[in-house]
Amino acid sequence: MRRHLSALLAFGLGGSLILGIASAAAPEAAGEALVGRWDITIHTPAGDLPSWLEIRRSGFRTLVGQFVGVVGSARPISRVEAEGGELRFSLPPQWEDGKDDLSFRGRLRGDTITGSMTFPDRRRFDWSARRAPSLQRPAAPKWAAPIRLFNGTDLSGWRALGESRSRWQVADGVLRNAAGGANLATERKFSDFKLHAELRLPAGSNSGVYLRGRYEVQIADALGEPPSDRLGAVYGFLAPSEDAARGPDAWQSLDITLIGRRITVMLNGRTVVCDREIPGITGGALDSDEGAPGPLLLQGDHGPVEFRDITLTPAQ
């Protein structure tokens, strides 16, 4: 998943994050209160945009973390400074426009943070964040009957998203994205499920399937890419344990089980991600409301990809 932010809105996201915490507590207490995962919503004239932040302890005194912007992969935060009632850290730009830092200011109120942020072009926008849900399930799910999401004939049950032209078409029982264009999402929303997909893509192409519209499992012919960018990876978070891809122009099978945050991915019959936790949303997510069901989304804004079977088995 690589998407330039200019495709979403006409300003850039950069890299420094400052959370100003108004609290009578000591800086250490204020920092401790921020430890955890946060689902962020950025409020812009172009609409709400999702983001994500994790802050954690390293040793006795140091705070570190990671951050996911509107686009791109998770970026490590090497050090979070907490003093004088403020939290500060910096990040280099990734796929965003602009070269300067991005600054946040916010106020902690219980399990929420609200505030404003200033972008590299000096535009200022409000944002809000709430603690991300754990998504732990009390018991193993019972599975309902499988649902054939792609009927082999037309795009019934699917809708194109965004302002880009849709390049999706169906011919000879194959769902094909001919070139970069609109993303394609199911009209139905799902929570926990098992997914089976059969796909094919040409050399060098890049796509992805977003689970609940928030967590991208990478679909890419990505020789030389980092492991977390390869076919079967959870983009930017979880790398496959081995390269089980068959290469370009070959039909491949992808089997995914998602229960809460826990995911297992099988590629061509081999388990490449085994019951791992997804920390948070990946870049390009539809929203940051992790506790809600969401659609299955096929990334169409990158390159060509084909599907001949998309079957989902939901939890009861």
Side-chain angles (χ1 to χ4, degrees):
M1 204 300 295
R2 289 177 182 165
R3 193 184 327 181
H4 211 257
L5 188 53
S6 59
L8 295 175
L9 67 163
F11 53 81
L13 292 177
S16 150
L17 193 59
I18 304 174
L19 297 176
I21 306 302
S23 171
E28 292 82 1
E32 185 68 21
L34 281 166
V35 169
R37 294 167 175 168
W38 299 89
D39 288 337
I40 299 174
T41 300
I42 305 169
H43 310 293
T44 81
D48 286 350
L49 298 172
S51 186
W52 178 86
L53 169 67
E54 180 182 40
I55 298 174
R56 60 183 182 271
R57 292 177 294 274
S58 176
F60 295 112
R61 296 175 300 276
T62 306
L63 295 177
V64 298
Q66 55 184 335
F67 173 76
V68 175
V70 177
V71 297
S73 59
R75 311 171 213 186
I77 305 168
S78 61
R79 187 180 182 92
V80 179
E81 299 288 350
E83 60 178 324
E86 288 192 342
L87 230 86
R88 296 183 177 90
F89 64 85
S90 62
L91 291 167
Q94 195 184 59
W95 301 109
E96 302 89 356
D97 294 329
K99 298 180 180 179
D100 296 332
D101 290 345
L102 172 68
S103 65
F104 281 61
R105 294 186 178 273
R107 184 181 300 269
L108 180 67
R109 297 183 183 276
D111 280 348
T112 63
I113 306 172
T114 59
S116 63
M117 61 183 72
T118 303
F119 289 86
D121 60 5
R122 300 187 182 278
R123 294 187 185 184
R124 184 177 177 181
F125 300 95
D126 292 335
W127 62 276
S128 58
R130 58 183 178 180
R131 287 198 182 274
S134 70
L135 301 183
Q136 293 181 358
R137 305 307 194 214
K142 295 181 180 179
W143 302 107
I147 303 168
R148 192 179 178 198
L149 295 179
F150 171 51
N151 63 17
T153 303
D154 55 35
L155 291 174
S156 296
W158 297 82
R159 59 191 179 96
L161 301 181
E163 298 180 358
S164 299
R165 175 186 173 187
S166 177
R167 306 285 185 171
W168 295 94
Q169 53 189 262
V170 178
D172 301 322
V174 174
L175 171 62
R176 179 179 295 106
N177 184 46
N183 296 326
L184 194 67
T186 58
E187 294 174 352
R188 295 183 60 174
K189 296 183 178 182
F190 307 95
S191 183
D192 296 349
F193 56 82
K194 295 188 293 185
L195 175 69
H196 173 77
E198 296 178 10
L199 59 98
R200 180 171 64 180
L201 69 166
S205 193
N206 185 307
S207 183
V209 54
Y210 280 77
L211 316 177
R212 302 187 195 124
R214 301 181 191 103
Y215 312 116
E216 182 191 7
V217 175
Q218 180 76 307
I219 296 174
D221 178 57
L223 293 176
E225 294 282 355
S228 60
D229 289 2
R230 292 177 185 163
L231 178 59
V234 177
Y235 179 72
F237 279 128
L238 306 177
S241 58
E242 62 176 301
D243 185 359
R246 292 175 178 163
D249 301 317
W251 283 105
Q252 310 193 59
S253 64
L254 195 62
D255 291 275
I256 301 168
T257 301
L258 180 66
I259 303 172
R261 291 186 181 278
R262 306 206 68 86
I263 186 171
T264 295
V265 179
M266 295 182 66
L267 177 60
N268 298 319
R270 297 161 73 173
T271 300
V272 295
V273 176
C274 184
D275 193 27
R276 298 283 303 280
E277 182 191 47
I278 306 175
I281 66 170
T282 54
L286 293 178
D287 60 49
S288 58
D289 188 6
E290 292 191 82
L296 191 75
L297 182 145
L298 306 179
Q299 189 177 59
D301 63 358
H302 280 30
V305 64
E306 297 176 324
F307 295 89
R308 67 182 181 188
D309 186 5
I310 307 174
T311 301
L312 184 145
T313 303
Q316 292 182 338

